[in-house]
Coordinates of all heavy atoms in Angstrom, one line a residue:
G1 N 9.0 1.9 4.0 CA 7.8 2.7 4.1 C 8.0 4.2 3.9 O 7.1 5.0 4.1
D2 N 9.2 4.6 3.5 CA 9.5 6.1 3.5 C 9.2 6.7 2.1 O 9.3 7.9 1.9 CB 10.9 6.4 3.9 CG 11.9 5.7 3.1 OD1 11.6 4.9 2.2 OD2 13.1 5.9 3.3
S3 N 8.8 5.9 1.1 CA 8.5 6.4 -0.2 C 7.4 5.6 -0.8 O 7.3 4.4 -0.6 CB 9.7 6.5 -1.1 OG 10.2 5.2 -1.4
A4 N 6.5 6.2 -1.6 CA 5.4 5.6 -2.2 C 5.2 6.2 -3.6 O 5.5 7.4 -3.8 CB 4.2 5.7 -1.4
N5 N 4.6 5.4 -4.5 CA 4.3 5.9 -5.8 C 2.8 5.5 -6.1 O 2.4 4.4 -5.7 CB 5.2 5.3 -6.8 CG 6.6 5.9 -6.6 OD1 6.9 7.0 -6.9 ND2 7.5 5.0 -6.1
Y6 N 2.2 6.3 -7.0 CA 0.8 6.0 -7.3 C 0.6 6.2 -8.8 O 1.2 7.0 -9.4 CB -0.1 6.9 -6.6 CG 0.0 6.9 -5.1 CD1 0.9 7.7 -4.4 CD2 -0.8 6.0 -4.3 CE1 1.0 7.6 -3.0 CE2 -0.8 5.9 -3.0 CZ 0.2 6.7 -2.3 OH 0.3 6.6 -0.9
V7 N -0.4 5.4 -9.3 CA -0.8 5.7 -10.7 C -1.6 7.0 -10.7 O -2.2 7.4 -9.7 CB -1.7 4.5 -11.2 CG1 -3.0 4.4 -10.5 CG2 -1.9 4.6 -12.7
D8 N -1.5 7.8 -11.8 CA -2.0 9.1 -11.8 C -3.5 9.1 -11.4 O -4.0 10.1 -10.8 CB -1.9 9.7 -13.2 CG -0.4 10.2 -13.4 OD1 0.4 10.3 -12.4 OD2 -0.1 10.5 -14.6
S9 N -4.3 8.1 -11.8 CA -5.7 8.1 -11.6 C -6.1 8.0 -10.2 O -7.3 8.3 -9.9 CB -6.3 7.0 -12.4 OG -5.8 5.7 -12.0
V10 N -5.2 7.6 -9.3 CA -5.6 7.5 -7.9 C -4.9 8.5 -7.0 O -5.1 8.6 -5.8 CB -5.4 6.1 -7.3 CG1 -6.0 5.1 -8.2 CG2 -3.9 5.8 -7.1
K11 N -4.0 9.3 -7.5 CA -3.2 10.3 -6.7 C -4.2 11.3 -6.0 O -5.1 11.8 -6.6 CB -2.2 11.1 -7.6 CG -1.0 10.3 -8.0 CD -0.1 11.1 -8.9 CE 1.2 10.3 -9.3 NZ 2.1 11.0 -10.2
G12 N -3.9 11.5 -4.8 CA -4.8 12.3 -4.0 C -6.0 11.7 -3.4 O -6.7 12.3 -2.6
R13 N -6.3 10.4 -3.8 CA -7.5 9.7 -3.3 C -7.1 8.5 -2.5 O -7.7 8.1 -1.6 CB -8.4 9.3 -4.5 CG -8.9 10.5 -5.3 CD -10.0 10.0 -6.3 NE -9.5 9.1 -7.3 CZ -10.0 7.8 -7.4 NH1 -10.9 7.4 -6.7 NH2 -9.4 7.0 -8.4
F14 N -6.0 7.8 -3.0 CA -5.6 6.6 -2.3 C -4.2 6.8 -1.6 O -3.4 7.6 -2.0 CB -5.3 5.5 -3.4 CG -6.5 4.9 -4.1 CD1 -7.8 5.5 -4.0 CD2 -6.4 3.8 -4.9 CE1 -8.9 5.0 -4.6 CE2 -7.5 3.3 -5.5 CZ -8.7 3.9 -5.4
T15 N -4.1 6.1 -0.5 CA -2.8 6.1 0.3 C -2.4 4.7 0.6 O -3.2 3.9 1.2 CB -3.0 6.9 1.6 OG1 -3.5 8.3 1.2 CG2 -1.7 7.0 2.3
I16 N -1.2 4.4 0.3 CA -0.6 3.1 0.7 C 0.3 3.3 1.9 O 1.0 4.2 2.0 CB 0.2 2.4 -0.5 CG1 0.6 1.0 -0.1 CG2 1.4 3.3 -0.9 CD1 1.2 0.2 -1.3
F17 N 0.2 2.3 2.9 CA 1.0 2.4 4.0 C 1.3 1.0 4.5 O 0.5 0.1 4.2 CB 0.5 3.3 5.1 CG -0.9 2.9 5.6 CD1 -1.1 2.2 6.8 CD2 -2.1 3.4 4.9 CE1 -2.3 1.8 7.2 CE2 -3.3 3.0 5.4 CZ -3.5 2.3 6.5
R18 N 2.3 0.8 5.3 CA 2.7 -0.5 5.8 C 3.1 -0.4 7.3 O 3.6 0.6 7.8 CB 3.8 -1.1 4.9 CG 5.1 -0.3 5.0 CD 6.1 -0.8 4.0 NE 6.5 -2.2 4.2 CZ 7.1 -3.0 3.3 NH1 7.3 -2.5 2.0 NH2 7.4 -4.2 3.5
D19 N 3.0 -1.6 7.9 CA 3.5 -1.7 9.3 C 4.4 -3.0 9.3 O 3.9 -4.1 9.3 CB 2.3 -1.9 10.2 CG 2.7 -2.0 11.7 OD1 3.9 -2.3 12.0 OD2 1.9 -1.7 12.6
N20 N 5.7 -2.7 9.3 CA 6.6 -3.9 9.2 C 6.6 -4.7 10.5 O 7.0 -5.9 10.4 CB 8.0 -3.4 8.9 CG 8.2 -3.0 7.4 OD1 7.3 -3.2 6.6 ND2 9.3 -2.4 7.1
A21 N 6.2 -4.2 11.6 CA 6.1 -4.9 12.8 C 5.0 -5.9 12.8 O 5.0 -7.0 13.4 CB 6.0 -4.0 14.0
K22 N 3.9 -5.6 12.0 CA 2.8 -6.5 11.9 C 2.7 -7.2 10.6 O 1.7 -8.0 10.3 CB 1.5 -5.6 12.1 CG 1.4 -5.0 13.5 CD 0.1 -4.2 13.6 CE 0.0 -3.6 15.0 NZ -1.3 -2.8 15.1
N23 N 3.7 -7.0 9.7 CA 3.7 -7.7 8.4 C 2.4 -7.3 7.6 O 1.7 -8.2 7.1 CB 3.9 -9.2 8.5 CG 5.3 -9.6 8.8 OD1 6.1 -8.7 9.1 ND2 5.5 -10.9 8.9
L24 N 2.1 -6.1 7.6 CA 0.8 -5.6 7.1 C 1.0 -4.4 6.1 O 1.8 -3.5 6.4 CB -0.1 -5.2 8.2 CG -1.6 -4.9 7.9 CD1 -2.3 -6.2 7.5 CD2 -2.3 -4.3 9.1
V25 N 0.3 -4.5 5.0 CA 0.3 -3.3 4.1 C -1.2 -3.0 3.8 O -2.0 -3.9 3.6 CB 1.1 -3.6 2.8 CG1 0.6 -4.8 2.0 CG2 1.1 -2.3 1.9
C26 N -1.5 -1.8 3.7 CA -2.9 -1.3 3.5 C -3.0 -0.3 2.4 O -2.0 0.3 2.0 CB -3.4 -0.7 4.8 SG -3.5 -1.8 6.2
L27 N -4.2 -0.3 1.8 CA -4.5 0.7 0.8 C -5.8 1.4 1.3 O -6.9 0.8 1.3 CB -4.7 0.1 -0.5 CG -4.9 1.1 -1.7 CD1 -3.6 1.9 -2.0 CD2 -5.3 0.3 -3.0
Q28 N -5.6 2.7 1.7 CA -6.8 3.5 2.0 C -7.3 4.2 0.7 O -6.6 4.9 0.1 CB -6.4 4.6 3.0 CG -7.5 5.5 3.4 CD -8.7 4.8 4.2 OE1 -8.4 3.9 5.0 NE2 -9.9 5.1 3.8
M29 N -8.6 3.9 0.4 CA -9.2 4.4 -0.8 C -10.3 5.3 -0.5 O -11.3 4.9 0.1 CB -9.6 3.3 -1.7 CG -8.6 2.2 -1.9 SD -9.1 1.0 -3.1 CE -10.4 0.2 -2.2
N30 N -10.2 6.6 -0.8 CA -11.2 7.6 -0.6 C -11.8 8.1 -1.9 O -11.2 7.9 -3.0 CB -10.6 8.8 0.2 CG -10.1 8.3 1.6 OD1 -10.7 7.4 2.2 ND2 -9.1 9.0 2.1
S31 N -12.9 8.8 -1.8 CA -13.5 9.4 -3.0 C -13.6 8.3 -4.2 O -13.2 8.6 -5.3 CB -12.7 10.6 -3.5 OG -12.7 11.5 -2.4
L32 N -14.1 7.2 -3.9 CA -14.1 6.1 -4.9 C -15.0 6.4 -6.0 O -16.0 7.1 -5.9 CB -14.5 4.8 -4.2 CG -13.4 4.1 -3.4 CD1 -14.0 3.1 -2.4 CD2 -12.4 3.5 -4.3
K33 N -14.6 6.0 -7.2 CA -15.3 6.2 -8.5 C -15.7 4.9 -9.1 O -15.0 3.9 -8.8 CB -14.4 7.0 -9.4 CG -13.9 8.3 -8.9 CD -12.9 9.0 -9.9 CE -12.4 10.3 -9.4 NZ -11.5 10.9 -10.3
P34 N -16.7 4.9 -9.9 CA -17.0 3.6 -10.6 C -15.8 3.0 -11.3 O -15.7 1.7 -11.4 CB -18.1 4.0 -11.6 CG -18.8 5.2 -10.9 CD -17.6 5.9 -10.2
E35 N -15.0 3.8 -11.9 CA -13.8 3.2 -12.6 C -12.8 2.6 -11.7 O -11.8 2.0 -12.2 CB -13.1 4.3 -13.5 CG -12.8 5.6 -12.7 CD -13.9 6.6 -12.9 OE1 -15.1 6.3 -12.8 OE2 -13.5 7.8 -13.1
D36 N -12.9 2.7 -10.4 CA -12.1 2.0 -9.4 C -12.5 0.5 -9.2 O -11.8 -0.2 -8.6 CB -12.0 2.7 -8.1 CG -11.4 4.1 -8.1 OD1 -10.4 4.2 -8.8 OD2 -12.0 5.0 -7.5
T37 N -13.7 0.2 -9.8 CA -14.2 -1.2 -9.7 C -13.2 -2.2 -10.3 O -12.8 -2.0 -11.5 CB -15.5 -1.3 -10.4 OG1 -16.5 -0.5 -9.7 CG2 -16.0 -2.8 -10.4
A38 N -12.7 -3.1 -9.5 CA -11.7 -4.1 -9.9 C -11.5 -5.1 -8.8 O -11.9 -4.9 -7.7 CB -10.4 -3.4 -10.3
V39 N -10.8 -6.2 -9.2 CA -10.2 -7.0 -8.2 C -8.8 -6.5 -7.8 O -8.0 -6.2 -8.7 CB -10.1 -8.5 -8.7 CG1 -9.4 -9.3 -7.6 CG2 -11.4 -9.0 -9.0
Y40 N -8.6 -6.3 -6.6 CA -7.3 -5.7 -6.1 C -6.4 -6.8 -5.5 O -6.9 -7.6 -4.7 CB -7.6 -4.6 -5.0 CG -8.1 -3.3 -5.6 CD1 -9.4 -3.3 -6.2 CD2 -7.3 -2.2 -5.7 CE1 -9.9 -2.1 -6.7 CE2 -7.8 -1.0 -6.3 CZ -9.1 -1.0 -6.8 OH -9.6 0.2 -7.4
Y41 N -5.2 -6.7 -6.0 CA -4.2 -7.8 -5.6 C -3.0 -7.1 -4.8 O -2.5 -6.1 -5.2 CB -3.7 -8.5 -6.8 CG -4.7 -9.2 -7.6 CD1 -5.4 -8.6 -8.7 CD2 -5.0 -10.6 -7.3 CE1 -6.3 -9.3 -9.4 CE2 -5.9 -11.3 -8.1 CZ -6.5 -10.6 -9.1 OH -7.5 -11.3 -9.8
C42 N -2.6 -7.8 -3.8 CA -1.4 -7.5 -3.1 C -0.2 -8.2 -3.7 O -0.3 -9.3 -4.1 CB -1.6 -7.9 -1.6 SG -0.2 -7.6 -0.5
N43 N 0.9 -7.4 -3.8 CA 2.1 -8.0 -4.4 C 3.3 -7.7 -3.5 O 3.4 -6.6 -3.0 CB 2.3 -7.4 -5.8 CG 3.6 -7.8 -6.4 OD1 4.6 -7.0 -6.3 ND2 3.7 -8.9 -7.1
A44 N 4.2 -8.7 -3.4 CA 5.5 -8.5 -2.7 C 6.6 -8.8 -3.7 O 6.6 -9.8 -4.4 CB 5.5 -9.4 -1.5
Y45 N 7.6 -7.9 -3.8 CA 8.7 -8.1 -4.7 C 10.0 -7.7 -4.0 O 10.2 -6.7 -3.5 CB 8.5 -7.2 -5.9 CG 9.6 -7.3 -6.9 CD1 9.8 -8.4 -7.7 CD2 10.6 -6.3 -7.0 CE1 10.9 -8.6 -8.5 CE2 11.7 -6.4 -7.8 CZ 11.8 -7.6 -8.6 OH 12.9 -7.7 -9.4
F46 N 10.9 -8.7 -4.1 CA 12.3 -8.5 -3.8 C 13.1 -9.4 -4.7 O 13.3 -9.2 -5.9 CB 12.5 -8.7 -2.3 CG 13.9 -8.5 -1.8 CD1 14.7 -7.5 -2.3 CD2 14.5 -9.4 -0.9 CE1 16.0 -7.3 -1.9 CE2 15.8 -9.2 -0.4 CZ 16.6 -8.2 -0.9
R47 N 13.5 -10.5 -4.1 CA 14.2 -11.5 -5.0 C 13.1 -12.4 -5.7 O 13.4 -12.9 -6.8 CB 15.1 -12.4 -4.1 CG 16.3 -11.7 -3.5 CD 17.3 -12.7 -2.9 NE 18.4 -12.0 -2.4 CZ 18.6 -11.6 -1.2 NH1 17.6 -11.8 -0.3 NH2 19.7 -11.0 -0.8

């Protein structure tokens, strides 16, 4: 949880954060625009 990256179109508006104790990841989305309309998917990647 100590580093995060964003696509340019959401920088400054969206924030990703996680709670490893709760097995939870969130995406806070502010100043939403019509172009943010989409289906949003959570992804986990390691092995």
